[in-house]
Amino acid sequence: MSLSRSVAEIVPTHIVTEGGGFKVRRPFRMGKVMSPFLLIDEMGPVNYGPGEAVGAPWHPHRGFETVTYLLDGRMRHEDSAGNHGELNPGDVQWMTAGRGIIHCEEPHEEILRDGGRTHGFQIWVNLPASHKMMRPRYQEVPSSESPTVEKNGVWARVIAGECMGEQSAIDTKIPITLIHIKMNSGSRLSQELESGLNGMIYVFGGEIELENEARVKKSPIAFGIRTKQQIKDGELGLLSEGDVISITSKSDSEFLILAGPELNEPISRYGPFVMNTREEIEQAFIDYRNGTFVG
Ligand code: MN
């Protein structure tokens, strides 16, 4: 019998200023509670006027992956390895910083000049100790190639993992699920999620309801108690164990489903470096100063 996941905790979000001064909506509690995700930043939505758009000028990363998913706007990126490209709505950039990358993430010159709406996500995914110093790599999935599916009032883009029979081609070192979902009011979704993985839902529009049946054993018969829990716009719901999520949309809603393993490794973190020990962080600074950070 399948066990539906319930909401174990609701983590509210707050507004934080990042990079060159852009605002993100970010859960109040991070790190271990949402392993293997280190950060879930919703960028905007913001309407920039001409000359107002800002990004993240040159900065390094080591020890994890950054996933950038753009919903609105246009961004460009460039890095120390000579890669450069742009992101348009629906595009995903899965960047594995591994042992080191130095890059800049900026609004496209068209947005800089004319202004415009910008909305998207940057999610930091931790790497296990065994892969923190792996060779950096990019996996770029343009909107036109990214798997999407629509059934019974539910639309999904499968960035990583599987949803409604669609599967992502993104390669990850640990099993990761990352799905963008839009649901019409009153529609339902039953999403399977391998038990044993940490599961969470970040809602950024409307409100959803999770239904689950808690098995209560009471002599002489066992019966189930049906519970309904809500997650609404601007809330990260951390889910209990189970192998399926039963969702009903209370309004038109939009959210991300995220899942991955508990890494159970120490996290030593300083700004854009996320390692296991303080010594490894110091080494990152030394390598950065010495110019031996990348390569
Ligand atoms: Mn970055």
Side-chain angles (χ1 to χ4, degrees):
M1 206 194 94
S2 66
L3 176 67
S4 291
R5 290 182 182 241
S6 58
V7 180
E9 187 185 342
I10 292 282
V11 181
T13 50
H14 58 150
I15 306 280
V16 181
T17 302
E18 265 299 331
F22 59 91
K23 290 195 166 40
V24 301
R25 194 154 69 151
R26 176 183 293 171
F28 257 106
R29 290 179 61 216
M30 300 184 299
K32 213 146 180 65
V33 296
M34 50 186 222
S35 173
F37 305 98
L38 297 159
L39 191 78
I40 301 171
D41 274 358
E42 182 184 359
M43 308 180 283
V46 56
N47 284 301
Y48 289 119
E52 283 179 5
V54 283
W58 291 94
H59 59 278
H61 290 294
R62 173 177 280 183
F64 61 101
E65 304 181 285
T66 66
V67 181
T68 310
Y69 176 42
L70 204 60
L71 298 168
D72 269 313
R74 210 170 163 196
M75 283 172 66
R76 53 172 284 276
H77 65 91
E78 195 180 338
D79 75 27
S80 48
N83 300 300
H84 58 90
E86 62 176 68
L87 285 174
N88 288 291
D91 295 352
V92 175
Q93 183 202 62
W94 198 292
M95 186 189 87
T96 306
R99 67 186 178 215
I101 218 154
I102 304 171
H103 73 164
C104 74
E105 301 154 283
E106 300 278 18
H108 191 275
E109 56 192 22
E110 193 181 284
I111 297 273
L112 278 172
R113 189 186 60 225
D114 305 334
R117 183 181 156 94
T118 298
H119 189 201
F121 283 91
Q122 185 160 95
I123 295 164
W124 289 13
V125 186
N126 206 357
L127 284 167
S130 55
H131 288 87
K132 281 192 174 293
M133 294 296 276
M134 70 181 276
R135 211 184 158 80
R137 69 170 176 181
Y138 282 93
Q139 296 177 81
E140 289 185 284
V141 187
S143 160
S144 58
E145 287 171 26
S146 118
T148 59
V149 55
E150 189 161 13
K151 276 181 196 167
N152 305 323
V154 183
W155 174 94
R157 183 189 304 281
V158 190
I159 299 168
E162 195 176 343
C163 181
M164 296 188 284
E166 280 295 319
Q167 196 149 2
S168 156
I170 286 278
D171 177 49
T172 55
K173 295 296 169 193
I174 47 175
I176 299 288
T177 293
L178 177 56
I179 309 164
H180 172 199
I181 293 179
K182 290 187 229 182
M183 289 176 75
N184 291 342
S185 182
S187 61
R188 289 163 161 271
L189 171 68
S190 181
Q191 169 70 32
E192 286 182 15
L193 215 55
E194 193 185 320
S195 63
L197 297 182
N198 289 334
M200 57 209 81
I201 295 180
Y202 175 71
V203 177
F204 58 103
E207 183 177 9
I208 59 170
E209 188 167 80
L210 265 60
E211 198 173 300
N212 77 308
E213 195 166 320
R215 304 296 295 179
V216 178
K217 204 169 185 181
K218 199 170 180 183
S219 180
I221 49 157
F223 64 96
I225 294 178
R226 216 163 257 288
T227 63
K228 289 178 175 180
Q229 298 164 296
Q230 294 77 33
I231 312 174
K232 61 178 193 296
D233 183 34
E235 291 180 341
L236 174 72
L238 305 176
L239 308 182
S240 68
E241 284 197 21
D243 44 27
V244 66
I245 315 173
S246 305
I247 304 171
T248 302
S249 200
K250 301 299 286 175
S251 61
D252 287 350
S253 62
E254 195 162 8
F255 55 96
L256 299 178
I257 295 179
L258 307 97
E262 174 64 56
L263 287 179
N264 266 321
E265 290 176 354
I267 295 175
S268 187
R269 174 175 186 161
Y270 191 93
F273 308 136
V274 184
M275 303 301 288
N276 298 112
T277 65
R278 213 187 129 75
E279 289 69 33
E280 289 167 340
I281 293 290
E282 283 164 9
Q283 190 60 48
F285 274 98
I286 292 167
D287 291 348
Y288 188 54
R289 270 199 307 269
N290 292 348
T292 53
F293 186 74
V294 296

